[in-house]
């Protein structure tokens, strides 16, 4: 059975590699996508009661105008949406038991069940059939492995929760090891020194900690590829990680809703439009910021159709030198929930402040800033900023400089400067996802 699975993965790997070079222009890709989506939706209409009712009598040719759903709608309609006949209660029970025992092999029959971390407390469930699991593994390997599938690879994969989805990529010439983010860093470092991974995958906050260990000589590994997942990659962390490992930092854009993008050899993130169709809900026309509405035309067990993701993406304005027609993304900026609105200087209007504006203002204040965390407390209307600086003696000066940069930002945007409060920096990578700029109801 195992060797059959490996063959399937290899076939999907080959297909994904070939698809990457298949289209010479966007129009050809879009025609191909359109045909795939329509065929897929016809099947979904037959098998998913949720979507059948949602779409009513409207023909699939009008799918681009079908109602948009989000995580909440997906979770509420879970039982009738999925085509594996699995109830939400049953799936939750299984996934939660896996979390507490840290034995991540839950499956109902051949269907893998998983739970997303859900930064806002609303946790999402995912279901993946065996065929989809193998296709996922093949596609991920095609997009992220340096060299060929036939080479030997050792993958160290850091995540908050494992899943037998991820383990699928291991076996044969691939030594795949899951590192539980909840374990202490010392333990990770000792284990990494033994495994000597060629591919290191993890959230940027953990990669940053490992980069620090590498600089201090505690961690002695030379990965050929370093990949950030599951958290927004900030420029400050990118620079630090790249310098420590002497590598370009790659990114995988993967969430409960699917494998959505990966960086090419040039380090540009491209959306996986060969498996997912992405419509753009414009957030800011001028800068090209948008929230993606995704339609996955490969997943059957848990169909994802016209699903709005809570992410802010910025389209890259120039094409990527790699020649791929898959949409290049300049930046994933975090969640739509972290977009701030501050009162305008004139009139009663509000001004949109994207998380990246705050990041840039802080980073540009001083070269001596090593790390930061900015939390907007909506109720108190205070921006709490914590900074880690290289030289504690000049910390007060740097704080003043940061305040000046934020004031300058408000000037440019035409909004009122809120109260700023500086706090000591604390962040331990592990259970919590790091968002360098976040909005909270209250501090
Ligand atoms: Zn590219």
């Amino acid at each position: 059975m195992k060797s059959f699975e490996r063959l399937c993965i290899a076939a999907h790997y080959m297909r994904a590699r070939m698809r990457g070079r298949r289209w010479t222009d966007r129009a050809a890709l879009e025609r191909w996508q359109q045909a795939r989506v329509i065929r897929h939706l016809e099947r979904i209409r037959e098998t998913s009661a949720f979507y059948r009712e949602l779409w009513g009598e409207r023909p699939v040719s009008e799918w681009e105008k079908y109602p948009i759903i989000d995580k909440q709608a997906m979770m509420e309609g879970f039982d009738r949406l999925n085509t594996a006949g699995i109830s939400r209660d049953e799936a939750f029970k299984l996934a939660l038991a896996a979390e507490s025992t840290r034995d991540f092999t839950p499956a109902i029959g051949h269907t893998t069940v998983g739970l997303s971390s859900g930064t806002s407390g609303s946790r999402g469930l995912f279901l993946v059939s065996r065929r989809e699991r193998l296709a996922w593994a093949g596609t991920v390997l095609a997009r992220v492995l340096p060299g060929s599938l036939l080479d030997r690879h050792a993958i160290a994969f850091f995540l908050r929760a494992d899943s037998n989805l991820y383990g699928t990529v291991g076996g044969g010439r691939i030594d795949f090891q899951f590192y539980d983010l909840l374990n202490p860093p010392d333990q990770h470092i000792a284990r990494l020194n033994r495994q000597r991974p060629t591919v290191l995958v993890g959230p940027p906050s953990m990669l940053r900690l490992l980069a620090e260990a590498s600089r201090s000589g505690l961690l002695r590994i030379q990965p050929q590829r370093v990949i950030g997942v599951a958290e927004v990659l900030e420029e400050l962390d990118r620079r630090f990680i790249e310098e420590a490992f002497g590598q370009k930092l790659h990114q995988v854009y993967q969430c409960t809703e699917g494998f959505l993008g990966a960086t090419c050899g040039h380090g540009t993130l491209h959306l996986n439009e060969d498996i997912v169709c992405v419509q753009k809900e414009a957030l800011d026309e001028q800068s090209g910021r948008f929230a993606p509405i995704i339609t996955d035309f490969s997943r059957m067990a848990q169909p994802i159709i016209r699903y709005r993701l809570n992410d802010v993406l910025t389209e890259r304005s120039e094409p990527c030198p790699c020649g791929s027609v898959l949409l290049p993304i300049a930046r994933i900026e975090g969640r739509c929930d972290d977009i701030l609105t501050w009162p305008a200087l004139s009139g009663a209007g509000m001004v949109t402040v994207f998380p990246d504006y705050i990041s840039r203002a802080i980073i540009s204040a001083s070269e001596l800033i090593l790390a930061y965390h900015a939390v907007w407390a909506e109720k108190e209307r205070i921006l709490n900023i914590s900074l880690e600086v290289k030289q504690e003696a000049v910390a007060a000066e740097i704080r003043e400089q940061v305040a000046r940069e934020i004031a300058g930002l408000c000037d440019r945007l035409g909004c009122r400067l809120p109260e700023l409060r500086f706090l000591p920096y604390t962040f331990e990578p592990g259970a919590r996802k790091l968002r360098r700029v976040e909005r909270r109801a209250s501090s």
Side-chain angles (χ1 to χ4, degrees):
M1 208 47 122
K2 262 286 179 233
S3 60
F4 167 73
E5 291 204 348
R6 301 231 55 80
L7 265 176
C8 289
I9 293 171
H12 283 288
Y13 170 92
M14 295 299 292
R15 234 174 277 161
R17 281 262 157 131
M18 285 191 297
R19 272 201 311 265
R21 301 185 209 107
R22 181 170 174 163
W23 303 283
T24 47
D25 60 63
R26 285 286 309 177
L29 164 70
E30 284 166 16
R31 276 196 304 276
W32 177 87
Q33 265 191 340
Q34 191 68 13
R36 285 279 162 135
V37 170
I38 291 200
R39 205 169 70 195
H40 183 67
L41 296 198
E42 277 164 355
R43 288 172 66 197
I44 299 299
R45 192 194 272 282
E46 299 286 307
T47 48
S48 166
F50 173 89
Y51 283 114
R52 190 163 53 241
E53 284 157 24
L54 186 68
W55 302 337
E57 293 303 311
R58 299 170 82 168
V60 285
S61 56
E62 289 176 21
W63 76 272
E64 282 162 317
K65 297 195 199 83
Y66 278 172
I68 293 170
I69 66 161
D70 58 11
K71 188 181 223 164
Q72 199 190 340
M74 164 151 304
M75 290 312 294
E76 279 169 12
F78 189 86
D79 296 6
R80 294 165 61 72
L81 182 143
N82 83 78
T83 65
I86 293 171
S87 77
R88 185 170 70 162
D89 292 347
E90 188 183 1
F92 250 122
K93 220 166 94 190
L94 197 71
L96 287 171
E99 295 245 324
S100 62
T101 59
R102 313 304 286 167
D103 168 21
F104 296 101
T105 49
I108 299 172
H110 279 307
T111 307
T112 297
V113 178
L115 202 51
S116 74
S117 53
T119 41
S120 53
S122 62
R123 309 192 65 184
L125 277 170
F126 66 86
L127 298 179
V128 180
S129 72
R130 180 165 179 245
R131 191 191 62 79
E132 289 163 355
R133 182 165 56 85
L134 301 174
W136 176 88
T139 310
V140 166
L141 290 173
R143 295 282 143 89
V144 308
L145 269 196
S148 144
L149 189 61
L150 299 175
D151 299 336
R152 287 200 175 276
H153 299 280
I155 304 175
F157 188 87
F158 284 82
L159 221 59
R160 198 190 48 81
D162 191 13
S163 157
N164 56 5
L165 181 64
Y166 309 130
T168 309
V169 304
R173 289 166 187 272
I174 300 174
D175 164 32
F176 177 93
Q177 293 192 28
F178 167 70
Y179 288 72
D180 191 334
L181 278 179
L182 297 186
N183 290 339
D186 292 355
Q187 198 177 315
H188 290 320
I189 291 166
R191 201 174 144 207
L192 284 167
N193 283 333
R194 285 196 302 273
Q195 192 203 359
R196 302 193 165 274
T198 53
V199 182
L200 177 64
V201 190
S205 59
M206 178 50 76
L207 295 179
R208 166 91 190 231
L209 184 143
L210 296 175
E212 281 163 17
S214 174
R215 275 194 164 176
S216 69
L218 283 172
L219 182 65
R220 298 173 300 275
I221 58 170
Q222 279 99 34
Q224 293 162 24
R225 183 156 294 194
V226 184
I227 304 166
V229 287
E231 279 175 359
V232 169
L233 175 62
E234 293 281 348
E235 209 36 51
L236 204 60
D237 297 321
R238 179 206 292 277
R239 264 184 261 154
F240 195 94
I241 296 162
E242 288 187 343
E243 272 172 30
F245 291 111
Q247 291 280 332
K248 192 188 292 260
L249 180 57
H250 285 267
Q251 270 182 281
V252 161
Y253 181 25
Q254 151 85 36
C255 53
T256 326
E257 292 81 9
F259 176 36
L260 302 176
T263 42
C264 67
H266 291 263
T268 306
L269 185 75
H270 291 273
L271 294 181
N272 288 333
E273 292 176 289
D274 54 336
I275 41 180
V276 182
C277 184
V278 181
Q279 296 171 292
K280 297 179 231 166
E281 180 190 303
L283 297 170
D284 181 39
E285 297 275 1
Q286 216 177 4
S287 61
R289 282 182 172 82
F290 68 93
I293 297 165
I294 59 171
T295 296
D296 188 317
F297 47 90
S298 64
R299 278 174 73 175
M300 281 297 293
Q302 185 181 18
I304 310 262
I305 317 290
R306 294 265 292 158
Y307 181 102
R308 184 187 188 274
L309 282 172
N310 182 25
D311 288 342
V312 182
L313 268 56
T314 303
E315 191 173 339
R316 189 180 139 117
S317 47
E318 66 273 23
C320 180
C322 76
S324 169
V325 300
L326 304 180
L327 194 76
I329 297 297
R331 217 167 34 249
I332 302 176
E333 202 173 319
R335 313 175 323 152
C336 298
D337 293 350
D338 289 326
I339 298 173
L340 314 180
T341 51
W342 289 351
L345 270 179
S346 55
M350 298 297 273
V351 173
T352 304
V353 184
F354 287 101
D356 190 53
Y357 293 176
I358 308 275
S359 298
R360 282 165 194 251
I362 296 176
I363 296 175
S364 61
S366 167
E367 291 277 305
L368 298 174
I369 296 173
L370 294 173
Y372 68 91
H373 192 192
V375 181
W376 171 246
E378 191 77 43
K379 189 166 151 246
E380 295 88 350
R381 308 210 61 80
I382 295 176
L383 185 65
N384 293 297
I385 302 171
S386 38
L387 301 172
E388 187 188 21
V389 297
K390 223 177 207 165
Q391 296 161 17
E392 211 38 55
V394 290
E397 229 169 276
I398 294 172
R399 284 197 290 270
E400 274 171 34
Q401 188 57 32
V402 167
R404 270 199 295 277
E405 288 291 336
I406 305 267
L409 170 70
C410 290
D411 258 0
R412 285 195 298 281
L413 295 174
C415 61
R416 244 173 280 157
L417 176 68
E419 186 183 330
L420 306 180
R421 185 163 59 188
F422 287 92
L423 304 166
Y425 183 83
T426 50
F427 181 79
E428 292 286 325
R432 265 197 57 223
K433 243 186 195 188
L434 174 62
R435 281 139 62 208
R436 293 240 178 249
V437 178
E438 58 177 297
R439 190 183 69 161
R440 289 188 194 158
S442 175
S443 54

